[in-house]
Amino acid sequence: MKDALDEKWFRGIAYLLLAATALSCLLPMLHIISLSLSDQQSVVSGRVAFWPQGWSMESYRMLFHGTRILPAFANSLVITFGGILLSMVFTIFAAYPLSRKTMYARRTFTLIIVFTMIFNGGMIPTFLVVKALGLLDSYGAIWFPSLVSAFNMLIMKNYFEQIPEEMEEAAKIDGCGEWRFLTQILLRVSLPVIAMVTLFYAILYWNSFFVVLIYIQDTEKYNLAVLVQQMLQSQSVLQEMNNLRPEDQMATTPEGIRSAGIMVMVIPMLLVYPFLQKYFIKGIMIGAIKG
């Protein structure tokens, strides 16, 4: 009876901690959403908390009409989709041979890759290498230095190792080669881990900020993360906006426009995650069984 009571107390405390953690993540988001959907008077008077006051879409209208949000959004899409494609191809090509027991010195290669998770060349040597390769001011400078994540590769490798060897043997008996087995069989039964790693890379490239500031000099190539950060730091964002009439500038506040910019940046990832959630949970559990 005592054990049952202790278990109830433990579960109650755990639920309280989880609820507090969830609220600490949810409430700031609700506040940003409310600011972006409230009218000027409500925002200036400080009446906006976690629910929009005086519903208005002016902040979004001003954001799309007077800032470079659309070109920055397009740049983010290019960076994200290009990075996902390249990273997934090279991650699969690294994980597959390392998951085969017949590969020579696969343990040595795996340890070398794990070593890069602990030590790396540093920012200045990486910058010099990127500059020597002529990648400055191009998206290649964002893609290639982080082309393969050792963590993602190890998760995919561990998942591939869970695939029964009998499946590969049966495929080879039917005349299936390595390339065909990888593309037509292994990848089809590995959708959970592929979806999970794709989501990891999508978040990495979509939120690219520091590397963009370092390697991209042309402001026309800036992505959403950099644009939103500049909007947050600017104390005169309305004055920097183009093509806005004075009466339009009085229809909203810098806080509302900044909040709208944050939501435009966050919403795509929020829309993608529900479709990958079931694969995400299954992939990270199975891929982490052994290492």
Side-chain angles (χ1 to χ4, degrees):
M1 189 70 180
K2 183 178 180 180
D3 293 340
L5 184 61
D6 291 342
E7 184 177 351
K8 289 181 179 179
W9 274 103
F10 175 79
R11 289 185 177 180
I13 295 174
Y15 287 144
L16 286 176
L17 291 176
L18 290 173
T21 303
L23 286 176
S24 68
C25 299
L26 181 62
L27 292 181
M29 180 63 67
L30 291 178
H31 181 64
I32 294 297
I33 295 174
S34 300
L35 284 176
S36 68
L37 294 175
S38 298
D39 60 13
Q40 181 194 29
Q41 293 76 12
S42 300
V43 175
V44 172
S45 62
R47 293 188 289 112
V48 181
F50 305 116
W51 189 258
Q53 302 294 325
W55 288 74
S56 173
M57 296 295 293
E58 282 299 312
S59 295
Y60 290 94
R61 189 177 72 84
M62 300 294 182
L63 177 70
F64 285 101
H65 181 64
T67 70
R68 297 192 65 259
I69 194 73
L70 291 179
F73 188 87
N75 293 339
S76 290
L77 290 178
V78 172
I79 293 173
T80 302
F81 284 103
I84 290 174
L85 178 61
L86 291 171
S87 292
M88 287 301 297
V89 169
F90 282 89
T91 300
I92 291 172
F93 283 166
Y96 175 68
L98 291 176
S99 67
R100 302 297 93 186
K101 295 181 180 180
T102 56
M103 178 181 176
Y104 175 75
R106 71 182 188 121
R107 180 175 176 83
T108 302
F109 285 111
T110 302
L111 291 176
I112 293 174
I113 294 175
V114 171
F115 181 83
T116 64
M117 297 176 64
I118 307 173
F119 303 99
N120 58 66
M123 182 177 66
I124 295 178
T126 303
F127 179 85
L128 294 177
V129 171
V130 171
K131 182 179 180 180
L133 294 175
L135 295 176
L136 286 181
D137 208 24
S138 70
Y139 292 147
I142 303 173
W143 295 329
F144 295 118
S146 57
L147 191 60
V148 176
S149 166
F151 176 76
N152 293 340
M153 192 280 297
L154 290 176
I155 290 180
M156 187 169 290
K157 166 186 170 293
N158 292 338
Y159 192 96
F160 288 165
E161 290 177 344
Q162 309 303 315
I163 305 299
E165 295 181 6
E166 291 78 6
M167 182 181 296
E168 182 178 3
E169 294 173 356
K172 289 183 177 180
I173 292 175
D174 291 336
C176 183
E178 293 284 351
W179 176 257
R180 187 177 178 186
F181 173 73
L182 171 63
T183 56
Q184 297 187 10
I185 299 178
L186 187 63
L187 294 184
R188 290 188 178 183
V189 300
S190 302
L191 287 180
V193 73
I194 291 175
M196 182 199 68
V197 174
T198 299
L199 181 61
F200 282 171
Y201 279 127
I203 294 174
L204 171 67
Y205 287 114
W206 184 262
N207 294 327
S208 296
F209 165 71
F210 190 60
V211 291
V212 175
L213 286 181
I214 293 177
Y215 299 124
I216 304 299
Q217 301 170 352
D218 186 1
T219 57
E220 298 293 324
K221 297 181 180 179
Y222 280 174
N223 60 347
L224 268 179
V226 174
L227 179 65
V228 171
Q229 185 269 345
Q230 291 178 342
M231 292 173 60
L232 292 175
Q233 283 191 339
S234 174
Q235 298 300 319
S236 57
V237 63
L238 287 180
Q239 286 74 11
E240 296 174 359
M241 297 171 68
N242 300 320
N243 303 322
L244 287 184
R245 297 171 299 177
E247 55 268 26
D248 288 334
Q249 296 183 7
M250 296 299 295
T252 187
T253 62
E255 290 79 6
I257 296 177
R258 291 166 184 156
S259 300
I262 293 173
M263 292 309 304
V264 171
M265 180 179 173
V266 171
I267 285 175
M269 289 296 103
L270 293 180
L271 294 178
V272 169
Y273 181 78
F275 296 99
L276 300 178
Q277 183 179 13
K278 62 178 181 179
Y279 296 115
F280 176 81
I281 297 175
K282 184 178 179 181
I284 199 170
M285 292 298 293
I286 297 179
I289 288 178
K290 66 176 184 178

